[in-house]
Amino acid sequence: MLEGVILKGIGGFYYIDTERGVYECRARGIFRKEGIRPTVGDAVRISVLDEEKKKGSLDEILPRRNELIRPRVSNVDQAVIVFAAKSPNMNLDLLDRFLLLAEEQELDIVIVINKIDKDKKENYLAAAEMYWDAGYSVICTSAEKEIGIVPLRTALENKISVFAGPSGVGKSSLINKAFPGLELNTGEISEKIQRGKHTTRHAELIQITEKSYIVDSPGFTSLYLTHIPSEKLQYHFREFLPFVHACYYNGCVHINEPDCAVKEQIGKAIHPMRYERYVTIYHERKEEEERRF
């Protein structure tokens, strides 16, 4: 048996990268019976059925380190979350929801602010500073002007990285600039609705160097956090972490309680906008949980 990694799955066929090349495989029927879905990024074992035609059978899925749902991909090292400075305008509420999902999955995170050349007033710098101060790696780029491409390429080395973010922010364009020759599809922004056309049809693991892979996946504009309990949200805002256990009351959620160490840091170690979004998302989750009972 050969071990490999699922690069992509289309129409019931899975393409497995191994030391002997890429094999086209069908998954064994037992996976369907047991409700197991092979996923891009899975480490697997295959049986070779036809060496010349590179055909095989996907026989075993090895244990996953993690699994994202949207996009569906497993064994990711880091999330590269891309937003545009302009066209479309940056939605920081949505960015924080992407961050929550990546933090909950314990991924390394790189925030990329693209299209900085279009922001003539440089308003993106305030957002970049806020996330730098929160402890994130932030790279400011312009695919069109080839700004920030080298730092982005360095950040992707020796990692399996998932690219995420809304449609139209330039994910595919950035990847193409960082790694010429990949020629991923790109689309134009609709001037009328300021949203990108979905140019990537399915999640696919793309080898960019010997030990580096990226996932280019369909853009999306909303994120569901229903699997994260409201009381756990505080642990996914990384600038909260030094203070969450210093509150006077056990079980403090840092909203209405007195003597709260987190609230004392608002405007200091914690940016007011980040705190406000925490409160908004906390109330959303709390209402959803109460409706369930």
Side-chain angles (χ1 to χ4, degrees), residues 84-108:
K86 297 283 279 186
S87 187
N89 292 332
M90 194 181 306
N91 183 335
L92 297 184
D93 177 76
L94 186 59
L95 173 53
D96 280 332
R97 292 168 192 268
F98 277 103
L99 291 175
L100 278 171
L101 182 61
E103 292 280 14
E104 192 266 340
Q105 292 287 335
E106 299 182 351
L107 301 177
D108 292 338

Side-chain angles (χ1 to χ4, degrees), residues 84-90 115 118 166-169 188-197 221:
K86 297 283 279 186
S87 187
N89 292 332
M90 194 181 306
K115 303 187 184 183
K118 297 185 181 299
S167 302
V169 297
E188 297 179 353
I189 294 289
S190 164
E191 292 293 336
K192 182 176 181 181
I193 61 174
Q194 285 291 290
R195 289 173 59 184
K197 300 173 183 178
T221 56

Side-chain angles (χ1 to χ4, degrees), residues 19 61 106 167 171 196-197 217 228 239 253 258 269 276 291:
E19 62 182 9
I61 298 174
E106 299 182 351
S167 302
K171 298 187 293 293
K197 300 173 183 178
S217 56
I228 304 178
E239 65 269 48
V253 296
E276 288 171 10
R291 283 198 298 268

Side-chain angles (χ1 to χ4, degrees), residues 11-45:
F13 290 96
Y14 296 91
Y15 296 85
I16 316 297
D17 185 30
T18 76
E19 62 182 9
R20 283 161 38 186
V22 177
Y23 289 79
E24 182 184 79
C25 299
R26 286 277 195 182
R28 293 180 59 196
I30 191 171
F31 293 126
R32 186 180 297 107
K33 291 179 182 178
E34 296 182 355
I36 298 172
R37 179 178 175 181
T39 300
V40 168
D42 277 344
V44 299
R45 291 193 177 104

Side-chain angles (χ1 to χ4, degrees), residues 7 21 38 74 86 132 134 142 150 159 172 212 222 225-226 256 275:
L7 298 180
S74 64
K86 297 283 279 186
W132 273 321
S142 167
V150 172
K159 301 273 190 179
S172 296
S212 306
S222 63
L225 303 170
T226 53
N256 297 317
Y275 176 76

